[in-house]
Amino acid sequence: MLAFAAHAHTHIRNIIIDGKALDREECIRPYESNFNFPVKGVNNRQLVCRTTSMSPSKTNTCDVKAGSTMVIEFHEEMERSSRAIEGKHYGPCLAYLSKMNSDGSPEGWFKIFEQGYDSSKKRWCIDDLNDNDGQLEITIPGDLQDGNYLLRGEIIALHLAEKRGGAEFYNNCVQLRITGGTGSASPELFQIPGIYKEDDPGIHFNLYDGYSSYNIPGPKLYVPGSTPANVSNKTTNPNEPVESSPVKNDPEDKDPEDKDPEDKGPEDNDPVTSPDTEGKSNKPVKSNCTRNRKRRLMRKRRNFNVRRTKKEL
């Protein structure tokens, strides 16, 4: 039983750059003692790089050119001759990139590779990975800004995923210095943990109940040169609901005499909502702002006329 458990796991043993296979753990964030054991739970902090050491000084940095192809190599054991992963641990292969902060932490992630289930061939990424001696080719986007990055490779094993929380995550991070890109990339960034939910169809999945397709979990694949809609520099969580921004009071409206009992703010029963808010008013935010501004202007004019009349008297 113990032997089976040991041979059912995997890790990124080494990488290949410019056709040269590097030593085990070279430019890979330090392994834990149970280096090939899975991470369980979509909110587990180990889901970042499967290590407690995020210091950049403990890992060498490998140089790679933007637009080039490199290889991350998965193996069950320390020996490169071992297979990638147990053949029945079906699931997708994914890769994410993040700029690296000075303390070694990730700035925010975007997906650059994914391979799931090919229904025409009835093959998973795991099948191809074992056939290719654990080697997974990853193309580095050519439009990146020069700098230090973390490349996060991942296998999600689904052999226990018919139960909620049963998916197994095998992820490691490679520390890279990427140069030669155009610098025009502006991908939307996501938090890890945060990209998966336990009830995502690609996470809570039954391999044994018959299937003809599979939805790869996580954010959409970043396409070099693309500009996704509503992109911001803020790191976001794809699972968090988007809230409408409340209308703020006019900073010029400071006169205490300018209070009108008919002029209700957004905190009253006239809700400020976006057009697609369900169960509430479908009035756009702009209409409420315009109405309130007109009221304030009329109120100021009325008060001004009253003050001028008092002075004349």
Side-chain angles (χ1 to χ4, degrees):
M1 188 68 177
L2 291 177
F4 174 81
H7 287 283
H9 301 154
T10 190
H11 71 305
I12 297 179
R13 181 196 179 277
N14 60 276
I15 62 175
I16 301 176
I17 298 178
D18 295 332
K20 179 183 179 182
L22 305 185
D23 294 336
R24 180 176 185 267
E25 203 175 357
E26 180 72 15
C27 296
I28 300 172
R29 285 293 169 88
Y31 304 128
E32 300 295 294
S33 57
N34 51 354
F35 63 91
N36 62 359
F37 276 52
V39 176
K40 300 295 288 281
V42 297
N43 295 315
N44 193 325
R45 292 300 304 172
Q46 290 284 306
L47 204 63
V48 181
C49 292
R50 200 165 37 154
T51 182
T52 56
S53 176
M54 293 301 292
S55 172
S57 63
K58 295 185 178 180
T59 305
N60 290 335
T61 303
C62 286
D63 291 299
V64 64
K65 293 291 185 182
S68 67
T69 298
M70 61 175 291
V71 173
I72 56 177
E73 201 167 303
F74 286 91
H75 290 283
E76 285 182 327
E77 306 296 343
M78 296 182 183
E79 296 77 19
R80 199 178 178 198
S81 58
S82 63
R83 63 185 173 181
I85 193 171
E86 201 280 325
K88 299 298 182 182
H89 282 29
Y90 297 128
C93 310
L94 309 100
Y96 296 82
L97 265 181
S98 171
K99 278 189 174 181
M100 187 176 70
N101 295 319
S102 59
D103 63 355
S105 63
E107 179 180 294
W109 301 94
F110 56 100
K111 187 192 290 182
I112 63 169
F113 176 89
E114 61 180 17
Q115 183 181 340
Y117 177 69
D118 187 336
S119 58
S120 64
K121 299 179 181 179
K122 299 187 183 302
R123 288 177 64 87
W124 287 88
C125 177
I126 300 304
D127 297 315
D128 292 341
L129 198 64
N130 277 322
D131 287 350
N132 294 329
D133 298 322
Q135 296 182 7
L136 192 67
E137 288 191 353
I138 306 294
T139 299
I140 304 299
D143 58 351
L144 297 178
Q145 299 175 0
D146 292 355
N148 293 326
Y149 288 79
L150 290 173
L151 170 64
R152 178 184 178 275
E154 177 180 49
I155 291 173
I156 304 177
L158 302 171
H159 58 290
L160 300 175
E162 75 277 9
K163 297 181 179 179
R164 192 175 185 274
E168 295 183 349
F169 301 88
Y170 298 94
N171 54 285
N172 295 99
C173 293
V174 182
Q175 193 163 296
L176 301 174
R177 182 183 301 107
I178 299 176
T179 57
T182 64
S184 62
S186 59
E188 189 170 6
L189 306 180
F190 297 92
Q191 298 172 349
I192 298 179
I195 55 173
Y196 305 135
K197 293 189 297 185
E198 293 290 6
D199 291 326
D200 284 344
I203 300 295
H204 188 195
F205 184 84
N206 193 339
L207 285 171
Y208 315 108
D209 194 28
Y211 57 90
S212 59
S213 62
Y214 173 75
N215 294 321
I216 298 175
K220 291 182 179 180
L221 190 69
Y222 173 67
V223 178
S226 65
T227 304
N230 299 323
V231 169
S232 67
N233 292 325
K234 180 179 68 174
T235 303
T236 59
N237 183 335
N239 298 322
E240 291 180 352
V242 178
E243 299 180 356
S244 300
S245 298
V247 177
K248 296 182 179 180
N249 294 329
D250 190 340
E252 296 179 359
D253 190 12
K254 297 179 180 179
D255 192 338
E257 296 181 8
D258 287 347
K259 294 181 180 179
D260 188 337
E262 295 182 359
D263 188 10
K264 297 179 180 180
E267 65 275 11
D268 292 306
N269 294 326
D270 188 9
V272 177
T273 62
S274 60
D276 59 349
T277 302
E278 297 181 0
K280 296 184 180 180
S281 170
N282 286 328
K283 299 176 183 178
V285 172
K286 183 178 179 181
S287 297
N288 288 334
C289 291
T290 303
R291 186 187 63 217
N292 291 338
R293 187 172 291 110
K294 288 181 178 179
R295 286 178 176 175
R296 284 195 294 270
L297 289 173
M298 293 175 63
R299 188 175 64 240
K300 287 181 178 181
R301 289 172 183 171
R302 183 174 66 247
N303 291 337
F304 175 79
N305 290 333
V306 170
R307 293 188 190 110
R308 186 175 62 181
T309 301
K310 289 180 179 179
K311 290 180 179 180
E312 291 176 354
L313 293 175

